[in-house]
């Protein structure tokens, strides 16, 4: 207990006055000669004992009155957080403030981070002058803010007050490892304060590895729990990241908002909104059971090129930081598609480029100019695709389709092409293969539809394998001789498995519509994946062992190899409504790698890899964070690209990337963006209790202080003094009342036969008489 006015304690000797008066007014025994002495003596002894007890009690009450009055005027205060303060001088005091995302959760109008900063300030204000204090901002990557003596009080307060939460989770194992690392300053009499909401995710590494050997035995750890005891039934938008970061104007893409319900008992109904460039493009209701998550697929069609900023959003709750999930989309302008036709025949049934050219251009033309097509069975109404699968006119018009015979293929025609499609090209020679491999190596996209003009051995041995000692492969697969009979429509194979997780096929993931599952293939080239090859991934199969569509990577470019031609001679797929969106999505997927690349979403406190084409050298760039603070980028050569890593992703929001490069006569400039969200672990609010902390830190001098929101509501903020003078005054009045009652009603009564006059009654009721009785001055012997 402390006193605001300790100088008033000099008045405590006044409490001796009632004792002195009591001693001075003691009744003395008198000798009275009466005939009935024995009976009178017995009555006198009994009355004397009663009077002596009453006088002693009155003296004690009067003394207590004065003592309480002096104490009340001194304004005593009581502290409830004494275990946080003290401990000597000359110590190393480390203030580790949890700045993870969960510290923004509010209880009773205050966030855990605000309570943590208030508690840290209270500890810092009560340190000795020769204590050395170190402040560490704890997140995934702990940051030492300062280390100095407590004499610089104002600077210490300013740094503590300016602490901000990170979108990442805390990592206490990394923090303690950094604080007590071998290269860290030597800590003398170390006292470590951990101001945290005790989220279990931050201590997960401690639970697995332990840190008892990291912390010196003479060090003392004080965990200050500034969270909440009440369970937080949180709802959070946890993703999912759009698969198609790069899209084309008019091409439908799938967005998947995912919402988790971390309540253990309540089913919630939420409505998730999808926003792109601050415009709401969709809204979907979700019903989520306790402890589960739900996802909704939203088809979005971008209408303009550029970097779009989107988000999934639900209504606010007690932890609003995870009620939004941010992402970006890079939408490209019109792209050049080079269609190389290996059989440009007049007969549409023989023309290999007819269906491909129609799929890429027909829907964008106002006037149709179709040639006669071979007779085929009509398409039933049940096979009509959903309208959302059909490409928009904006997308088809964004494609600059150029068709040429295979003999005209050369470096000049390949220049500027985003995608090259080989349709039954059987007359290509080694020089053509070299040009195409160089084109793909530089980031170009290649789609191969082999037909009856193609020699599979030539493709497998001369085209897919690069000459030289390394024997790099364009695609890790080989074509086998054609199998099946194109004249027998009753014998065919179909797709038995499709990788709907792949961007090319994701839009067809609808079991009721059965997209692509009714296509018949009468003749095809069996594809064999090379043993041990990491450059061949089947996207579709005819059977468990026979791929139908394979993806390969060759340096910066992508390759899609089909086992069938894009004509109706060998398959009825070109007559299916899914054919057009399939071709368009294949073109979009293998499109030429952009000169500037950045991820759509980066984990909190994660690394953002930014890549630039090789011909941009010398390269320089900047990243502007969510608060528009710039940071320089340093690029290094990695393969065929210039790459830079950006680590300062400690704020939630959109980050803008600006890059410049190229020669003076041909300068280049581009910009893009990426988003940073909260760590998903921060939304769960699973708390670690004192027994768990003791288990994870078994050999550490550990103390856990309950400074939770509920405790501070009851006892006040950490460091606050609770004054008790009001309660002392209440006790003073109780003492006055008791003393007044005893002194007034316990005196001698008049004789039974004696009748008091009016003046005597008034005198008995006067304040002077009461005061005299209370002090003993009015007693008549």
């Amino acid at each position: 207990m402390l006193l605001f006015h300790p100088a008033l304690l000099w008045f405590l000797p006044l409490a001796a006055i009632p004792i002195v008066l009591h001693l001075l007014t003691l009744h003395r025994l008198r000798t009275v000669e009466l005939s009935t002495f024995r009976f009178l003596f017995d009555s006198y002894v009994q009355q004397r004992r009663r009077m002596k007890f009453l006088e002693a009690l009155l003296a004690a009450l009067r003394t207590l009155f004065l003592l309480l009055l002096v104490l009340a005027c001194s304004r005593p205060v009581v502290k409830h957080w004494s275990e946080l303060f003290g401990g000597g001088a000359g110590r190393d005091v480390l203030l580790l403030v949890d700045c993870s995302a969960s510290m923004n959760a509010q209880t009773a109008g205050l966030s855990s981070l605000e309570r943590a900063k208030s508690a840290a300030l209270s500890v810092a204000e009560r340190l000795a002058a020769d204590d050395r204090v170190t402040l560490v901002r704890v997140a995934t990557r702990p940051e030492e803010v300062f280390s100095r003596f407590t004499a610089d009080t104002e600077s210490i307060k300013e740094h503590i007050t300016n602490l901000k939460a990170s979108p990442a989770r805390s990592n206490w194992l990394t923090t303690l490892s950094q604080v007590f690392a071998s290269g860290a300053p030597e800590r003398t009499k170390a006292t470590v304060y951990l101001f945290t909401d005790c989220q279990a995710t931050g201590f997960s590494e401690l639970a697995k590895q332990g840190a008892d050997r990291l912390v010196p035995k003479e060090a003392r750890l004080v965990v200050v729990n500034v969270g909440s005891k009440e369970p937080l039934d949180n709802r959070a938008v946890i993703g999912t990241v759009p698969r198609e970061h790069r899209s084309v104007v008019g091409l439908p893409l799938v967005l998947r908002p995912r919402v988790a319900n971390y309540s253990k008992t309540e089913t919630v109904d939420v409505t998730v909104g999808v926003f792109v460039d601050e415009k709401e493009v969709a809204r979907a209701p979700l019903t989520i059971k306790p402890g589960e998550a739900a996802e909704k697929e939203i088809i979005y069609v971008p209408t303009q090129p550029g970097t779009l900023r989107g988000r999934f959003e639900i209504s606010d709750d007690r932890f609003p930081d995870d009620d939004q999930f941010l992402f970006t989309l890079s939408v490209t302008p019109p792209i050049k598609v080079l269609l190389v036709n290996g059989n440009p025949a007049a007969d549409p049934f023989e023309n290999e480029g007819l269906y491909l050219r129609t799929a890429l251009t027909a829907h964008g033309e106002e006037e149709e100019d179709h040639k006669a097509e071979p007779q085929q069975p009509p398409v039933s109404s049940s096979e009509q695709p959903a309208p959302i699968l059909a490409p928009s006119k904006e997308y088809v018009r964004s494609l600059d389709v150029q068709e040429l015979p295979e003999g005209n293929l050369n470096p000049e025609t390949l220049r500027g092409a985003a995608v090259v499609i080989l349709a039954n090209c059987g007359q290509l020679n080694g020089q053509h293969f070299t040009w195409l491999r160089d084109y793909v190596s530089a980031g170009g996209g290649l789609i191969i539809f082999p037909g009856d003009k193609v020699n599979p051995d030539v493709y497998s041995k001369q085209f897919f394998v690069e000459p030289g000692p390394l024997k790099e492969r364009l695609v890790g697969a080989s074509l086998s001789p054609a199998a099946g009979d194109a004249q027998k429509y009753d014998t065919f194979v179909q797709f038995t498995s499709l990788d709907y997780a792949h961007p090319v096929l994701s839009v067809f993931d609808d079991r009721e519509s059965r997209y692509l599952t009714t296509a018949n293939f009468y003749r095809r080239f069996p594809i064999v994946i090379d043993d041990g090859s990491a450059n061949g991934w089947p996207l579709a199969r005819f059977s468990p062992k026979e791929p139908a569509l394979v993806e390969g990577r060759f340096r910066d470019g992508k390759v899609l190899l089909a086992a069938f031609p894009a004509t109706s001679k060998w398959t009825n797929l070109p007559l299916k409504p899914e054919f057009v969106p399939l071709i368009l999505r294949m073109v979009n997927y293998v499109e030429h790698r952009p000169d500037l690349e950045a991820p759509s979403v980066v984990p909190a406190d994660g690394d953002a890899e930014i890549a630039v084409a090789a011909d941009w050298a010398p390269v320089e760039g900047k990243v502007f964070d969510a608060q528009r603070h710039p940071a320089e980028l340093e690029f290094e050569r990695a393969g065929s690209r210039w790459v830079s890593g950006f680590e300062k992703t400690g704020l939630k929001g959109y980050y803008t990337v600006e890059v410049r490069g190229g020669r003076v006569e041909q300068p280049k400039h581009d910009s893009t963006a990426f988003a940073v969200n909260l760590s998903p672990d921060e939304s769960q609010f699973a708390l670690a209790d004192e027994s768990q902390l003791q288990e994870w830190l078994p050999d550490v001098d550990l103390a856990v202080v309950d400074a939770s929101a509920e405790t501070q509501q009851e006892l006040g903020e950490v460091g606050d003094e609770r004054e008790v003078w009001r309660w002392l005054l209440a006790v003073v009045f109780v003492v006055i009342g008791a003393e007044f009652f005893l002194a007034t009603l316990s005196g001698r009564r008049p004789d039974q036969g004696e009748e008091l006059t009016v003046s005597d009654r008034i005198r008995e009721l006067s304040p002077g008489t009461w005061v005299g009785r209370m002090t003993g001055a009015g007693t008549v012997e």
Side-chain angles (χ1 to χ4, degrees):
M1 179 182 291
L2 298 179
L3 300 172
F4 274 133
H5 304 299
L8 294 178
L9 295 179
W10 289 102
F11 290 96
L12 285 178
L14 293 177
I17 293 177
I19 300 176
V20 173
L21 290 176
H22 171 71
L23 295 176
L24 292 177
T25 58
L26 285 176
H27 295 287
R28 301 181 180 274
L29 295 175
R30 297 175 62 187
T31 302
V32 180
E33 296 182 359
L34 294 174
S35 60
T36 56
F37 176 76
R38 183 172 60 86
F39 300 102
L40 181 61
F41 182 78
D42 292 341
S43 174
Y44 176 78
V45 169
Q46 294 177 1
Q47 185 179 9
R48 183 62 183 168
R49 289 173 180 174
R50 176 175 173 272
M51 292 299 296
K52 290 177 67 177
F53 172 76
L54 181 61
E55 289 171 356
L57 182 60
L58 287 173
L61 288 174
R62 291 161 186 165
T63 303
L64 180 62
F65 164 74
L66 292 176
L67 287 174
L68 292 176
L69 185 63
V70 173
L71 287 176
C73 293
S74 300
R75 294 181 64 186
V77 294
V78 177
K79 291 181 175 293
H80 298 282
W81 315 101
S82 57
E83 66 269 30
L84 283 176
F85 312 116
R91 299 175 300 159
D92 270 312
V93 179
L94 294 97
L95 307 179
L96 311 184
V97 181
D98 188 349
C99 290
S100 60
S102 64
M103 293 288 287
N104 276 336
Q106 295 189 354
T107 303
L110 284 178
S111 67
S112 300
L113 182 59
E114 291 173 313
R115 289 190 291 272
K117 291 192 288 187
S118 176
L121 286 171
S122 298
V123 172
E125 290 171 353
R126 289 163 175 78
L127 297 178
D130 56 348
D131 285 341
R132 187 175 184 87
V133 60
T134 300
L135 177 64
V136 179
R137 179 179 180 268
V138 180
T140 301
R141 296 192 184 100
E143 172 190 358
E144 183 175 308
V145 180
F146 66 79
S147 180
R148 62 194 63 178
F149 289 101
T150 56
D152 193 2
T153 307
E154 293 302 321
S155 178
I156 292 174
K157 291 182 179 179
E158 180 181 358
H159 281 96
I160 294 177
T161 305
N162 291 336
L163 289 175
K164 296 184 181 298
S166 164
R169 70 179 184 89
S170 58
N171 190 324
W172 291 105
L173 179 63
T174 303
T175 302
L176 294 176
S177 301
Q178 177 176 310
V179 167
F180 295 107
S182 57
E186 184 178 355
R187 312 289 185 184
T188 304
K189 300 179 182 178
T191 301
V192 186
Y193 292 92
L194 281 64
F195 301 94
T196 175
D197 59 356
C198 286
Q199 272 273 54
T201 54
F203 293 93
S204 58
E205 289 81 8
L206 280 178
K208 296 176 182 177
Q209 302 182 31
D212 49 306
R213 287 179 292 180
L214 294 174
V215 182
K217 293 184 178 181
E218 64 274 9
R220 181 170 183 259
L221 260 64
V222 181
V223 178
V224 185
N225 181 8
V226 294
S228 174
K229 297 178 181 178
E230 299 179 358
L232 184 60
D233 295 334
N234 187 39
R235 299 171 290 114
V237 185
I238 56 176
T240 306
V241 179
R243 294 170 182 165
E244 302 90 349
H245 178 217
R246 188 165 59 115
S247 184
V248 181
V249 172
L251 180 67
L253 56 92
V254 181
L255 302 177
R256 292 180 173 84
R258 184 175 179 84
V259 183
N261 176 20
Y262 291 109
S263 172
K264 297 181 180 179
T265 57
E266 296 183 3
T267 299
V268 298
D269 295 320
V270 299
T271 300
V272 57
V274 180
F275 295 81
V276 176
D277 282 351
E278 299 304 323
K279 295 180 181 179
E280 187 174 11
V281 299
R283 181 172 288 269
L286 293 173
T287 299
I288 314 173
K289 295 181 180 180
E292 296 185 1
E295 185 177 86
K296 191 74 173 181
E297 289 191 357
I298 304 295
I299 304 296
Y300 172 67
V301 181
T303 58
Q304 58 184 5
T307 301
L308 308 182
R309 291 166 169 81
R311 71 177 186 272
F312 306 137
E313 184 177 280
I314 60 175
S315 57
D316 291 347
D317 54 15
R318 282 176 54 191
F319 184 48
D321 291 36
D322 60 1
D323 294 336
Q324 290 184 346
F325 182 87
L326 311 179
F327 61 90
T328 62
L329 295 171
S330 181
V331 183
T332 61
I335 58 177
K336 177 183 176 182
V337 179
L338 186 63
L339 177 58
V340 183
N341 195 340
N343 188 24
D347 184 356
F349 188 73
E350 297 292 336
N351 193 330
E352 299 290 340
L354 171 64
Y355 290 99
L356 291 172
R357 185 175 67 251
T358 302
L360 295 171
T361 62
H363 288 266
E365 299 174 357
E366 297 295 335
E367 297 180 3
E368 296 185 357
D369 184 20
H370 295 293
K371 297 182 181 180
E373 297 184 0
Q375 295 295 324
Q376 295 290 343
V379 180
S380 65
S381 59
S382 62
E383 295 179 348
Q384 295 295 334
I388 198 64
L389 287 182
S392 69
K393 292 183 178 180
E394 289 81 2
Y395 170 67
V396 180
R397 288 172 181 166
S398 71
L399 301 179
D400 179 14
V401 182
Q402 298 181 14
E403 183 178 354
L404 75 158
E406 58 184 331
N408 293 346
L409 182 67
N410 55 59
E412 188 63 29
T413 57
L414 289 173
R415 184 175 295 114
V419 179
V420 174
I421 303 176
L422 301 183
N424 197 14
C425 295
Q427 300 300 318
L428 299 177
N429 56 37
Q431 186 61 62
H432 293 122
F433 295 152
T434 300
W435 291 336
L436 287 170
R437 283 193 297 266
D438 292 342
Y439 163 77
V440 176
S441 175
L446 179 63
I447 303 175
I448 304 173
F449 288 103
D452 54 4
K453 304 293 183 181
V454 170
N455 185 336
D457 285 341
V458 174
Y459 269 52
S460 300
K461 297 178 181 179
Q462 298 183 30
F463 187 17
F464 296 163
V465 180
E466 184 179 40
L470 297 179
K471 298 294 183 181
E472 291 186 82
R473 298 189 64 86
L474 185 71
V475 58
S478 301
L479 291 176
S480 300
D485 191 344
Q487 304 302 320
K488 294 182 179 180
Y489 292 105
D490 57 342
T491 58
F492 54 83
V493 296
Q494 293 180 324
F495 291 132
T496 58
S497 65
L498 297 165
D499 183 6
Y500 291 116
H502 196 276
V504 171
L505 302 175
S506 61
V507 77
F508 303 104
D509 188 9
D510 189 336
R511 297 183 182 277
E512 295 182 359
S513 299
R514 300 181 61 213
Y515 295 132
L516 297 175
T517 59
T518 60
N520 301 331
F521 298 88
Y522 311 108
R523 189 169 174 81
R524 78 275 180 198
F525 289 101
I527 298 178
V528 179
I529 303 294
D530 296 343
D531 293 337
S533 174
N535 192 25
W537 307 276
L539 309 185
R541 293 178 181 271
F542 293 132
S543 68
K545 294 184 178 181
E546 187 178 346
L549 184 63
V550 176
E551 177 187 353
R553 300 288 179 91
F554 186 66
R555 296 171 189 163
D556 268 3
K558 300 177 183 177
V559 179
L560 288 179
L561 172 63
F564 49 86
T567 68
S568 59
K569 290 189 298 183
W570 288 16
T571 174
N572 67 348
L573 176 62
L575 304 177
K576 295 291 181 179
E578 303 96 311
F579 178 72
V580 173
L582 175 64
I583 297 300
L584 294 177
R585 295 187 72 82
M586 291 173 67
V587 169
N588 172 245
Y589 179 71
V590 302
E591 181 188 347
H592 198 292
R593 189 174 180 182
D595 288 345
L596 173 61
E597 288 182 312
S600 171
V601 176
V602 176
D605 272 350
D607 295 338
E609 183 178 283
I610 300 163
V612 183
D615 58 356
W616 278 54
V619 188
E620 60 181 18
K622 292 183 179 180
V623 174
F624 297 86
D625 65 15
Q627 297 181 350
R628 296 299 299 173
H629 297 148
E632 297 289 337
L633 292 175
E634 296 183 1
F635 289 89
E636 296 181 356
R637 189 63 182 264
S640 60
R641 297 238 136 185
W642 293 95
V643 178
S644 177
F646 180 74
E647 299 180 349
K648 300 178 181 179
T649 55
L651 294 174
K652 178 183 177 180
Y654 299 104
Y655 290 64
T656 303
V657 182
E658 295 184 357
V659 179
R660 297 179 181 272
R663 298 187 299 271
V664 177
E665 60 275 13
Q666 291 183 340
K668 297 183 179 182
H669 175 267
D670 201 357
S671 65
T672 186
F674 61 87
V676 174
N677 293 286
L678 297 189
S679 172
D681 296 336
E682 290 299 283
S683 301
Q684 299 181 22
F685 289 94
L687 303 182
D689 56 26
E690 183 173 355
S691 61
Q692 290 176 308
L693 296 176
Q694 295 284 358
E695 179 183 351
W696 298 336
L697 299 164
D699 298 327
V700 177
D701 181 8
L702 179 67
V704 180
V705 178
D706 181 10
S708 60
E710 293 77 13
T711 302
Q712 292 196 34
Q713 284 181 335
E714 178 183 355
L715 303 179
E717 294 184 5
V718 174
D720 280 359
E721 295 86 2
R722 174 167 286 190
E723 297 190 41
V724 296
W725 63 270
R726 296 177 180 85
W727 297 100
L728 289 179
L729 283 180
V731 176
V732 166
F733 283 110
V734 172
V735 171
I736 291 176
E739 200 274 348
F740 175 81
F741 176 80
L742 294 176
T744 304
L745 302 181
S746 301
R748 292 186 304 168
R749 296 181 181 180
D751 295 337
Q752 297 291 334
E754 184 179 357
E755 184 176 353
L756 297 177
T757 65
V758 175
S759 60
D760 292 335
R761 292 180 183 277
I762 295 175
R763 192 180 301 110
E764 287 288 331
L765 297 175
S766 66
T769 304
W770 289 350
V771 173
R773 288 181 178 179
M774 291 172 60
T775 60
T779 303
V780 179
E781 297 294 339

